[in-house]
Amino acid sequence: MYAIVTLVSGLLFGLGLAFSEMTNPAVVIGFLDVFGDWNPSLLIVMASAIVVGMIGYTIKNKRLKPLLGGYWQVPNLRHIDSKLVVGSVLFGIGWGLSGYCPGPGLTALINNPSEGFYFVSALMLGSGLHFIQTRITNK
């Protein structure tokens, strides 16, 4: 049952990305270009994501444990530190330059292999560097 729910959730997420055109970097860059030819259509996507998140947290707050898991895994950090700020800035720069965030970037491997290869390579390189840096500083 867990595998089926995971598969259906992933398919629903992927369909949402495709339907909202989040997999099209031109639409994403148009949304980020607020001083140029701005495309506000992704505001609907963001508002929908907020509503889904609110519904999810409402369900979570009414249940003692998840239907398919042992316990709720919710982040409990409440402070903003340099790691969060630097990570957010790097994510935003990458998103703005490429028009891809990680989920849609993976779809680019099929939809637009030349761009997708460079994006996913940079994503893996950055993740690897973070992994190495974390291992070095946590020794």
Side-chain angles (χ1 to χ4, degrees):
M1 183 62 157
Y2 182 79
I4 292 171
V5 170
T6 301
L7 176 65
V8 170
S9 298
L11 288 172
L12 190 60
F13 179 71
L15 286 171
L17 289 175
F19 181 73
S20 67
E21 293 197 76
M22 285 287 294
T23 58
N24 182 350
V27 172
V28 173
I29 290 172
F31 173 71
L32 297 173
D33 188 11
V34 293
F35 298 113
D37 189 20
W38 187 51
N39 177 356
S41 64
L42 293 185
L43 283 175
I44 296 167
V45 176
M46 290 184 177
S48 300
I50 290 169
V51 169
V52 169
M54 290 171 63
I55 292 169
Y57 270 97
T58 300
I59 292 169
K60 179 242 175 237
N61 290 335
K62 291 183 178 188
R63 299 190 53 83
L64 295 175
K65 65 179 193 168
L67 286 172
L68 301 174
Y71 61 94
W72 293 109
Q73 297 180 30
V74 179
N76 57 7
L77 295 177
R78 300 283 185 240
H79 66 283
I80 297 173
D81 61 4
S82 61
K83 291 179 183 180
L84 177 63
V85 172
V86 170
S88 300
V89 167
L90 289 173
F91 180 91
I93 290 171
W95 193 35
L97 289 175
S98 69
Y100 293 115
C101 60
L106 292 175
T107 67
L109 287 172
I110 294 172
N111 298 342
N112 191 352
S114 60
E115 282 185 14
F117 172 77
Y118 291 115
F119 177 81
V120 172
S121 297
L123 178 70
M124 291 172 57
L125 177 65
S127 296
L129 290 173
H130 172 72
F131 178 79
I132 292 167
Q133 183 268 333
T134 302
R135 295 291 176 235
I136 291 171
T137 57
N138 289 337
K139 283 189 175 185

